[in-house]
Amino acid sequence: MNQDASVPVGDRPPRWQTLSSIDRRVVGVLAEKAKTTPDAYPLSLNAVCTGCNQKSNRHPLMQLDPADVEESLDRLREMGAVGIVEGYGRVPKYRHYLYEWLGVDKMGLAVMTELFLRGAQTVGELRGRAARMEPIADIAALRPVLATLHEKGLIVFLTPEGRGQVVTHALLPPREMEKLREEHSGGGFAPAGDGTGSHPQGPAENVSRPPLATRGSKESGALQALPREVEDLRGQIDRLRGEVEGLREQIRAVAEGLERLQAALGE
């Protein structure tokens, strides 16, 4: 059953609150699988655990055991972010309620899911990665989504607007958010040709390059566009990895279904 349908939020205020790293991973997995492998959703405890520990589309990598995941699911249920779905046999199945809990639409949830699963990242990387769940043509199409999420207080821009701008979600506990802000402080662009001979500290992709006076403007423009193109390529690679992982999940679900059928037939 495909549970990934946007529920109108209406005038109800969102109920979100800060989440631990494990809770972010667990609820992110539920939201991701609802979009990428709807036939295998909702998920059993073991399926959630496998999704938390997978090597692709995750940062940092984790090695959680079922007990950790079950405790997290219990916490998320108490918060109203997750629920148990009846009618799937003796094994409990879990689904998310993030549309209502966060107060977002489908595209907003795709963005938040990627931030839950990977943490802070550039806008270009986020565009490519979120596009594996909802179509996002380019960065220009993503900007209004980010603006809406920012207005809702759900995301934080860690560096100034421009090439390589870094964004994260706002559900981090205060200490984690403070540490993240410190790591990205001083980012942004230095005016080209400011004559100082120095650049602010921060991610290398945020540092403005000096003008190439000896080269044509066309070559200079091409060089300046390279970081964005690299970001888009990274995002496309991540999207392809996600699609491959989704196929693996579907194959795994079919194999499990066949095993259950064989067991029921007494083979």
Side-chain angles (χ1 to χ4, degrees):
M1 182 184 301
N2 184 357
Q3 298 281 339
D4 187 23
S6 181
V7 179
V9 178
D11 296 327
R12 293 173 296 171
R15 296 169 287 170
W16 61 270
Q17 55 188 283
T18 58
L19 297 175
S20 69
S21 59
I22 294 178
D23 292 348
R24 298 194 299 266
R25 177 61 55 85
V26 167
V27 78
V29 166
L30 285 170
E32 176 196 48
K33 300 307 181 186
K35 288 181 176 290
T36 59
T37 57
D39 292 341
Y41 180 82
L43 305 181
S44 66
L45 172 62
N46 286 338
V48 177
C49 190
T50 298
C52 289
N53 295 334
Q54 74 180 49
K55 300 297 189 294
S56 61
N57 304 312
R58 304 289 184 267
H59 182 77
L61 297 180
M62 290 184 174
Q63 192 58 48
L64 304 178
D65 58 41
D68 297 325
V69 175
E70 188 170 26
E71 289 178 4
S72 175
L73 287 166
D74 289 341
R75 288 193 298 269
L76 291 165
R77 288 179 62 202
E78 291 178 1
M79 298 178 196
V82 167
I84 292 182
V85 182
E86 304 293 339
Y88 286 90
R90 290 177 293 179
V91 178
K93 295 292 183 75
Y94 297 88
R95 63 154 298 176
H96 71 83
Y97 294 127
L98 292 184
Y99 288 114
E100 306 96 317
W101 199 69
L102 295 172
V104 296
D105 59 13
K106 286 186 175 182
M107 195 171 292
L109 182 57
V111 170
M112 293 299 296
T113 298
E114 282 300 330
L115 293 174
F116 287 155
L117 294 175
R118 290 181 183 265
Q121 54 197 285
T122 68
V123 172
E125 291 169 337
L126 181 59
R127 199 285 306 176
R129 292 164 177 171
R132 68 192 178 93
M133 291 184 284
E134 292 293 336
I136 305 175
D138 50 30
I139 292 179
L142 177 61
R143 287 292 182 186
V145 181
L146 295 179
T148 299
L149 294 174
H150 187 255
E151 290 173 1
K152 293 176 180 289
L154 287 168
I155 65 170
V156 174
F157 293 108
L158 296 171
T159 60
E161 184 174 357
R163 186 174 66 247
Q165 184 180 27
V166 179
V167 62
T168 190
H169 63 83
L171 278 68
L172 293 166
R175 287 187 179 180
E176 285 189 57
M177 181 63 75
E178 181 181 357
K179 180 180 179 181
L180 202 57
R181 288 183 184 276
E182 290 176 355
E183 290 175 356
H184 291 87
S185 64
F189 291 95
D194 62 356
T196 63
S198 61
H199 300 286
Q201 303 210 347
E205 56 201 357
N206 285 342
V207 178
S208 177
R209 291 163 175 76
L212 302 177
T214 60
R215 301 183 183 180
S217 59
K218 184 180 295 186
E219 182 180 355
S220 177
L223 287 173
Q224 291 176 358
L226 279 176
R228 181 175 298 177
E229 293 176 2
V230 170
E231 287 179 10
D232 283 342
L233 287 172
R234 287 174 178 169
Q236 292 173 25
I237 291 171
D238 287 330
R239 186 180 69 252
L240 290 173
R241 285 175 176 168
E243 291 174 355
V244 170
E245 184 63 31
L247 290 173
R248 288 175 178 168
E249 291 288 341
Q250 291 176 354
I251 293 171
R252 190 156 36 240
V254 170
E256 291 175 355
L258 289 174
E259 289 178 0
R260 289 195 295 269
L261 181 58
Q262 290 174 350
L265 294 174
E267 297 182 1

